[in-house]
């Protein structure tokens, strides 16, 4: 029987990286700070390899052996608009941003390298804002960190819509230790616009010295056409939410500007069941006054999942079937399905908006 590959899972959340890696990978160590996420992780994967709490208090003595992979989906808040792009901060900062918890993680990696146990592969996953936050300083800092540790590396932007009916792009830094041979079919002599959008290309062009020399353009095959749509994951009898009353649905429709109300009217004429995703946003009306608006899309793809704890609204769905128009919040199980998680996962309310990325890659 072939030996399983091994991995560490940092910022583990509910264990979406573990779910995506599958049964041929064995977890040596996992960690998360959140009590709720820790409970979800243990409920689904057990507690044998899990250590809860501050990553800054983890030592290399708790990380057994030399892992084939270290996965880190470090906090995204300060690399996005929600966190005003405060960024990673400095590794020596007295006051750490949430995204700045990358530095205690990276300290563990560098110590493992000094012990001759640096992971053979490292994957860093975050929002695409990591490419441009602080005018590219955070991107450069991540690249420099991987370079100084002796890794060959590159980055890709992967949109969830290629695999599940949800629109969400994330950046993945993939780094390979110097003693690991890289198959030639995994790299490209030039970029591939499917995985390397303009913002990433521009950020890479600004790199200098070793950071640029150790960069590679990673190659992935073009994904097959997705065979599941938003409507396919919707439950008729959801758990954890309820269908709105007619009055509530009418109020939601009244919040739509003419452009979005017209999308609902067009959906009624199709003769088929149509499911649209709705987010509430503050917009200026024709008089320059801020108003809350409901904005809908009917492209069989959900909008990017978000956590209300981050200040965003929870996604609402509108189901149109002929003259019938119903609405409600997205259910927890539907959200899990949009992350690529099967129905056997024991979901809790703590699953975050980013964890689907770990499940489908």
């Amino acid at each position: 029987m072939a030996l399983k590959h091994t991995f560490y899972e940092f910022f583990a959340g509910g264990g979406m990286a573990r779910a995506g890696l599958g049964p041929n990978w064995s977890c040596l160590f996992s960690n998360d700070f959140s009590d709720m996420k820790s409970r979800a992780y243990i409920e689904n994967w057990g507690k044998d390899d899990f250590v809860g709490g501050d990553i800054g208090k983890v030592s290399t003595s708790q990380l057994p052996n030399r892992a084939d992979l270290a996965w880190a989906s470090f906090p995204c808040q300060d690399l996005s608009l929600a966190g005003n792009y405060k960024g990673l901060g400095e590794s020596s900062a007295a006051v750490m941003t949430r995204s700045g918890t990358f530095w205690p993680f990276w300290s563990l990696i560098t110590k493992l390298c000094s012990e001759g146990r640096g992971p053979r592969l490292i994957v860093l996953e975050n929002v695409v804002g990591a490419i441009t936050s602080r005018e590219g300083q955070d991107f450069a800092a991540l690249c420099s960190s991987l370079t100084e540790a002796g890794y060959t590396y590159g980055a890709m932007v992967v949109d969830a819509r290629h695999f599940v009916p949800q629109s969400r792009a994330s950046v993945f830094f993939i780094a390979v230790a110097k003693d690991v041979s890289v198959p030639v079919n995994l790299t490209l002599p030039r970029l591939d616009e499917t995985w390397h959008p303009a913002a990433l290309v521009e950020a890479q062009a600004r790199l200098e010295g070793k950071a640029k020399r150790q960069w590679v353009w990673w190659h992935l095959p073009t994904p097959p056409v997705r065979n599941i749509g938003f409507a396919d994951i919707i439950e008729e009898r959801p758990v954890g939410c309820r269908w709105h009353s007619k009055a509530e649905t009418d109020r939601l429709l009244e919040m739509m500007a003419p452009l979005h109300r017209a999308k609902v009217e067009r959906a009624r004429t199709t003769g088929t069941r149509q499911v649209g995703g709705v987010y509430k946003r503050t917009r200026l009306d024709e008089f320059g006054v801020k108003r809350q608006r409901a904005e809908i899309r009917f492209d069989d793809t959900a909008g990017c999942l978000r956590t209300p704890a981050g200040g965003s609204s929870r996604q609402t769905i509108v189901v149109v079937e002929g003259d019938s128009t119903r609405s409600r919040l997205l259910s927890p199980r539907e959200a899990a399905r949009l992350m690529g998680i099967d129905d056997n996962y024991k979901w809790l309310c703590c699953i975050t908006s980013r964890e689907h990325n770990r499940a489908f890659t």
Side-chain angles (χ1 to χ4, degrees):
M1 181 176 178
L3 293 175
K4 292 185 177 182
H5 299 297
T6 59
F7 68 101
Y8 307 137
E9 187 176 11
F10 297 94
F11 312 101
M16 303 299 103
R18 189 167 183 160
L21 288 169
N24 292 328
W25 287 78
S26 175
C27 185
L28 299 177
F29 173 88
S30 52
N31 166 263
D32 201 277
F33 180 77
S34 164
D35 288 339
M36 284 198 305
K37 295 175 190 176
S38 298
R39 290 200 302 271
Y41 195 100
I42 292 169
E43 179 72 16
N44 283 279
W45 312 108
K47 61 182 180 180
D48 291 346
D49 50 64
F50 187 81
V51 176
D54 186 351
I55 192 171
K57 296 180 180 178
V58 175
S59 68
T60 56
S61 64
Q62 295 172 276
L63 304 174
N65 306 327
R66 183 191 184 194
D68 294 313
L69 167 67
W71 186 288
S73 294
F74 59 97
C76 66
Q77 287 86 348
D78 301 297
L79 302 175
S80 67
L81 177 61
N84 295 317
Y85 299 106
K86 289 190 291 287
L88 294 177
E90 304 302 326
S91 58
S92 59
V95 179
M96 190 74 69
T97 64
R98 291 183 68 176
S99 296
T101 52
F102 168 80
W103 296 116
F105 153 75
W106 192 248
S107 177
L108 285 172
I109 296 298
T110 55
K111 288 175 183 175
L112 286 173
C113 290
S114 69
E115 296 170 9
R117 298 194 294 127
R120 294 177 176 87
L121 303 173
I122 297 173
V123 174
L124 310 176
E125 178 267 328
N126 216 287
V127 295
V128 292
I131 300 172
T132 55
S133 59
R134 292 200 304 161
E135 298 182 338
Q137 292 181 65
D138 293 323
F139 179 85
L142 293 170
C143 293
S144 178
S145 297
L146 294 167
T147 299
E148 294 305 315
Y151 285 83
T152 296
Y153 74 101
M156 311 175 73
V157 172
V158 180
D159 196 320
R161 64 182 175 81
H162 292 303
F163 309 94
V164 292
Q166 183 196 171
S167 174
R168 186 183 185 96
S170 297
V171 61
F172 294 80
F173 291 82
I174 303 146
V176 182
K178 62 179 69 175
D179 62 339
V180 175
S181 131
V182 178
V184 294
N185 66 322
L186 292 183
T187 63
L188 292 167
R190 65 186 67 83
L191 59 92
D192 178 347
E193 62 183 17
T194 302
W195 313 113
H196 308 128
L200 178 61
V201 175
E202 292 167 7
Q204 190 273 346
R206 289 192 293 269
L207 297 175
E208 299 177 346
K210 287 175 61 178
K212 196 157 195 172
R213 290 194 298 273
Q214 289 175 214
W215 177 281
V216 295
W217 293 109
W218 295 117
H219 170 65
L220 282 180
T222 302
V225 176
R226 173 164 50 85
N227 60 6
I228 184 172
F230 191 16
D232 297 322
I233 63 97
I234 298 303
E235 303 175 290
E236 183 58 35
R237 294 181 176 84
V239 175
C241 64
R242 62 171 179 81
W243 289 99
H244 291 161
S245 67
K246 182 179 183 304
E248 290 171 314
T249 298
D250 288 344
R251 281 197 296 272
L252 181 69
L253 295 175
E254 289 169 2
M255 291 174 63
M256 294 182 183
L259 173 66
H260 291 272
R261 188 62 185 268
K263 293 180 182 180
V264 177
E265 296 302 324
R266 285 196 296 272
R268 289 171 174 164
T269 66
T270 63
T272 60
R273 183 171 181 254
Q274 299 285 310
V275 177
V278 177
Y279 275 123
K280 295 175 183 177
R281 297 182 171 91
T282 300
R283 303 293 192 196
L284 294 177
D285 65 15
E286 62 272 25
F287 303 107
V289 177
K290 289 184 177 180
R291 293 184 56 186
Q292 190 177 45
R293 290 292 197 183
E295 299 181 353
I296 193 166
R297 56 189 293 172
F298 279 105
D299 57 357
D300 211 22
T301 301
C304 165
L305 290 179
R306 302 170 185 178
T307 169
S312 298
S313 64
R314 184 172 163 189
Q315 191 163 184
T316 297
I317 63 169
V318 170
V319 179
V320 178
E321 296 179 89
D323 293 332
S324 170
T325 302
R326 297 179 294 162
S327 65
R328 62 169 169 81
L329 292 173
L330 192 72
S331 77
R333 175 58 66 198
E334 291 160 349
R337 290 171 178 173
L338 289 173
M339 298 179 205
I341 301 301
D342 66 39
D343 287 354
N344 294 320
Y345 186 87
K346 300 170 187 176
W347 51 266
L348 298 175
C349 63
C350 62
I351 296 174
T352 71
S353 61
R354 293 172 53 236
E355 293 196 81
H356 69 286
N357 297 307
R358 311 167 206 178
F360 68 71
T361 49

